[in-house]
Amino acid sequence: MTKHPNRVEATDAARQLIADIRQEHPEIIFHQSGGCCDGSSPMCYPAADFRVGASDVKLGEIDGVAVYISGPQFAAWKHTQLILDVVPGRGGMFSLDNGREKRFLARARVFTQEELAALEMA
């Protein structure tokens, strides 16, 4: 049987940027909204400043940081693993990666049929 896969992972670069941000903001959260402007940009907020919505889905955690996705976005992406990565550029206006000359980016990997079956059994 296939091991239960994580719905969210992160590259080493993303983990390093998370650690850098947590130096200034120890408690943070990620939210992937799928909105029109920054749909592929997971937004990073101080945990106390973001209210998780009733339809938001927790994908998991990266180094103790919760990662959520909007319900409609989850419905479209539930067959994929979200991979937090970092690319050069400016983060979203309210995201904590803004002003660091690099920003978070969501990449995706399609789960195998075996992984999907394992997720459904969980």
Side-chain angles (χ1 to χ4, degrees):
M1 168 155 273
T2 299
K3 178 182 174 256
H4 182 278
N6 294 326
R7 287 201 172 270
V8 63
E9 289 288 344
T11 64
D12 290 342
R15 289 177 188 276
Q16 184 58 58
L17 185 52
I18 290 168
D20 292 348
I21 290 171
R22 290 180 87 186
Q23 292 294 314
E24 298 170 41
H25 304 277
E27 299 296 323
I28 60 175
I29 190 171
F30 280 97
H31 190 268
Q32 177 77 40
S33 71
C36 66
C37 301
D38 284 317
S40 63
S41 297
M43 303 296 278
C44 180
Y45 302 109
D49 291 355
F50 187 81
R51 180 173 291 172
V52 175
S55 68
D56 289 338
V57 175
K58 184 177 180 182
L59 295 178
E61 294 185 0
I62 300 297
D63 297 340
V65 176
V67 179
Y68 289 88
I69 190 168
S70 70
Q73 191 75 354
F74 178 75
W77 286 18
K78 65 185 174 186
H79 65 288
T80 65
Q81 181 180 61
L82 184 76
I83 303 163
L84 293 179
D85 199 0
V86 172
V87 295
R90 298 184 64 93
M93 182 176 286
F94 300 108
S95 186
L96 294 173
D97 56 346
N98 191 11
R100 296 173 189 268
E101 303 310 318
K102 51 189 163 185
R103 66 181 182 88
F104 291 107
L105 178 78
R107 300 187 190 276
R109 178 188 69 82
V110 177
F111 286 121
T112 66
Q113 291 300 317
E114 293 80 18
E115 289 172 324
L116 284 171
L119 285 168
E120 289 174 7
M121 293 178 65

